[in-house]
């Protein structure tokens, strides 16, 4: 069987999944309406979170496709995948052109020696500028030091959503055949009789989990033929252990199909190796050489997961105990490769992740399954090397209308951001900063407000650098309830001038719950349950209908962003609430004093 292995890579939203879906539809690998974004959260948010495998058949060749996530928090997934395929389809939006994540994934691909096929997508958009986008992509290849062979990349224009691709913009095309032909022409064949005759070597690049089969490894067979039975596993440190493969699957469309054996070149899933990990080598003989290791990016932020002990604990969740939360987190570690958890501290679990979205997705999945818990403020992970304190830095690309530039630069410099590049395009300015992750935490919300939701901001971690010292940023205080009960419209009306409220009238509150922010900067104890004094006097003002500004709804991501050091975010299947760690003002004052002493 002839096999080609490709990955689809791009900046977020440029159309990777739409293209994969259309390829499956055209080749009959999946029916109308079936999407690679199969997970409920993916469908709701319209983004890919987990990279996934599919395979299609075209003119007798099997094409294994890995669809990758475009969001930076999941960027390390992409890197792992790139190691295991032979070519990439780089999708670029015909209106936006190359964006920060385009640059990142292209750079990785070029470094690995891959020759990409470029798909200029969304040419149906009214503002599409496909020729300009093509030129920009070529410039990017050159900036990134592509070799001559790589610079000679093929270009295909597409409307992925509708399943149409063409080699020349003027061509008349009804389907994706021009792209499929390009794949057959450009992507090296993965299988050959010689490779199949060698002793077995498989390297997993992804993990999955099944309730019955346990941990599953998704990997590429580099050499040999795999059958069920005993194998040797070499880890990246050089140690060898034994294992037994008891099931082998290949992909057909999105589905997996159990097979008795599979040969070199194919991408497969195997069951039976409960401790298998990314980058290890599964082989037939203990003397075989291990394949080069696959790097896994280190986490950049950490936070604590705790049993919920708020006055409302257990009201909305079914799975609330420390043991239940621990078991769930242990299960997550089976597949969530970027995640690390320290279970050793008493009273909480320390969770290390790749970014706020990475953590938010885990919490969202947990609350949907009925879990209830609370978490602390995410902290940036600091490292020490040769006695020097290091902290993670990010490259931030901001695109705003030209008149916003001043404000943005002022705010970013305050947070220790340095400009590395500024350019103008159409009516927008594109500014690139390098900034410590610490400085960036909590800025996103402010950016959205400053640019009225029209600014674009992308960031990605670029590595650890020397710690830049204290960052003075104007933190917002919290409005803390000093009463239990139902919030009343009358008191919220009086409070809404002093900060942004997170709750509306009728919300149940408890002592120590954070109900809004305090614009002045310091925490403020308030009583949101106070009703109007009853008097015989009629006052005109108070009798007019009280118009409340709609509250700022606390989502998980927003909560993780605005939470202060001395607070917890309470997460239940129905609610996301902020609270003080110490509920009463007396306890908070005492805690603060003890810290100082
Ligand atoms: N107009 C137009 N829209 C498209 C086209 N292809 C995809 N889209 C839309 O673009 C949006 C994003 O598409 P996806 O395929 O989810 O993008 P993606 O690259 O997989 O996104 P992530 O996986 O989250 O990085 C969706 O709303 C699609 O319907 C196209 O050819 N034309
Ligand atoms: Mg996608």
């Amino acid at each position: 069987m002839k096999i080609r292995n490709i990955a689809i890579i791009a900046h977020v939203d440029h159309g990777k999944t739409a293209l994969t879906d259309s390829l499956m539809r055209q080749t009959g690998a999946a029916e109308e309406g079936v999407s690679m974004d199969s997970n409920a959260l993916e469908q709701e948010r319209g983004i890919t979170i987990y990279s996934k495998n599919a395979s299609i058949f075209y003119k007798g060749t099997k094409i294994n496709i890995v669809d990758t996530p475009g969001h930076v928090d999941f960027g390390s997934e992409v890197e792992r995948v790139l190691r295991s395929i032979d070519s990439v389809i780089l999708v670029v939006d015909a209106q936006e052109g190359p964006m920060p994540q385009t640059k990142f994934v292209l750079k990785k691909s070029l470094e690995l020696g891959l020759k990409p096929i470029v798909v200029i997508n969304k040419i149906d958009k009214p503002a599409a500028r496909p020729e300009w986008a093509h030129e920009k992509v070529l410039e990017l290849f050159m900036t990134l030091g592509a070799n001559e062979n790589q610079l000679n990349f093929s270009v295909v224009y597409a409307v992925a959503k509708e399943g149409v691709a063409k080699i020349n913009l003027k061509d008349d095309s009804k389907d994706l055949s021009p792209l499929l032909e390009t794949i057959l022409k450009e992507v090296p064949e993965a299988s050959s009789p010689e490779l199949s005759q060698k002793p077995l070597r498989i390297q997993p690049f992804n993990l999955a989990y099944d309730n019955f089969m346990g941990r599953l490894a998704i990997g590429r067979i580099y050499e040999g033929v795999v059958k069920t039975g005993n194998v040797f596993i070499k880890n990246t440190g050089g140690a060898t252990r034994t294992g037994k493969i008891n099931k082998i699957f290949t992909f057909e469309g999105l589905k997996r199909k159990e097979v008795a054996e599979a040969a070199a070149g194919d991408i497969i899933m195997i069951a039976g190796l409960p401790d298998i990990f990314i980058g290890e080598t599964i082989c037939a003989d203990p003397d075989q050489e291990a394949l080069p290791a696959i790097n896994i990016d280190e986490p950049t932020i950490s936070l604590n997961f705790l049993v919920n002990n708020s006055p409302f604990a257990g009201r909305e969740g079914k799975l609330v105990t420390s043991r239940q939360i621990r078991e769930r987190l242990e299960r997550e570690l089976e597949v969530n490769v970027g995640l690390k958890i320290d279970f050793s501290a008493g009273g909480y679990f320390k969770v290390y992740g790749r970014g706020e979205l990475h953590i938010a997705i885990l919490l969202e999945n947990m609350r949907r399954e009925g879990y209830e818990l609370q978490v602390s403020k995410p902290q940036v992970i600091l490292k020490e090397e040769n006695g020097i304190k290091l902290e993670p830095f990010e490259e931030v690309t901001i695109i705003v209308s030209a008149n916003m530039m001043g404000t943005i630069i002022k705010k970013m410099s305050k947070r220790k951001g340095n400009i590395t590049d500024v350019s103008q395009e159409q009516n927008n300015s594109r500014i690139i900063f390098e900034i410590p992750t610490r400085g960036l935490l909590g800025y996103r919300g402010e950016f959205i407000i400053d640019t009225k939701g029209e600014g674009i901001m992308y960031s990605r971690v670029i590595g650890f650098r020397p710690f830049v010292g204290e960052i003075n940023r104007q933190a917002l205080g919290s409005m803390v309830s000093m009463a239990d009960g139902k919030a009343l419209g009358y008191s919220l009306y009086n409070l809404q001038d002093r900060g942004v409220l997170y709750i509306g009238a009728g919300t149940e509150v408890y002592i120590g719950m954070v109900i809004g922010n305090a614009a002045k900067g310091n925490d403020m104890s308030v009583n949101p349950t106070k009703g109007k004094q009853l008097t015989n006097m009629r006052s005109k003002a108070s009798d007019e209908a009280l118009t409340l500004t709609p509250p700022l709804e606390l989502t998980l991501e927003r909560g993780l962003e605005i939470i202060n050091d001395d607070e917890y975010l309470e997460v239940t299947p129905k609610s996301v609430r902020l609270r003080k760690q110490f509920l009463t003002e007396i306890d908070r004052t005492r805690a603060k004093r003890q810290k100082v002493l």
Side-chain angles (χ1 to χ4, degrees), residues 330-385:
E330 280 170 347
R331 208 159 3 110
E332 187 70 20
L333 285 176
E334 289 284 336
V335 289
N336 200 331
V337 178
L339 201 73
K340 284 191 179 157
I341 303 173
D342 181 357
F343 291 105
S344 68
Y348 60 86
F349 307 125
K350 202 171 185 74
V351 176
Y352 299 82
R354 294 280 306 159
E356 282 172 22
L357 185 63
H358 186 203
I359 298 293
I361 295 287
L362 168 61
L363 287 169
E364 185 67 48
N365 277 325
M366 287 179 74
R367 68 192 283 229
R368 274 163 197 241
E369 295 160 22
Y371 287 86
E372 172 173 328
L373 71 164
Q374 56 188 4
V375 301
S376 67
K377 182 183 169 73
Q379 305 285 351
V380 168
I381 294 173
L382 301 179
K383 273 210 291 208
E384 206 174 286
E385 241 167 52

Side-chain angles (χ1 to χ4, degrees), residues 16-17 37 47-48 67-69:
K16 298 174 288 296
T17 304
D37 284 345
I47 58 165
T48 303
D67 181 24
T68 62

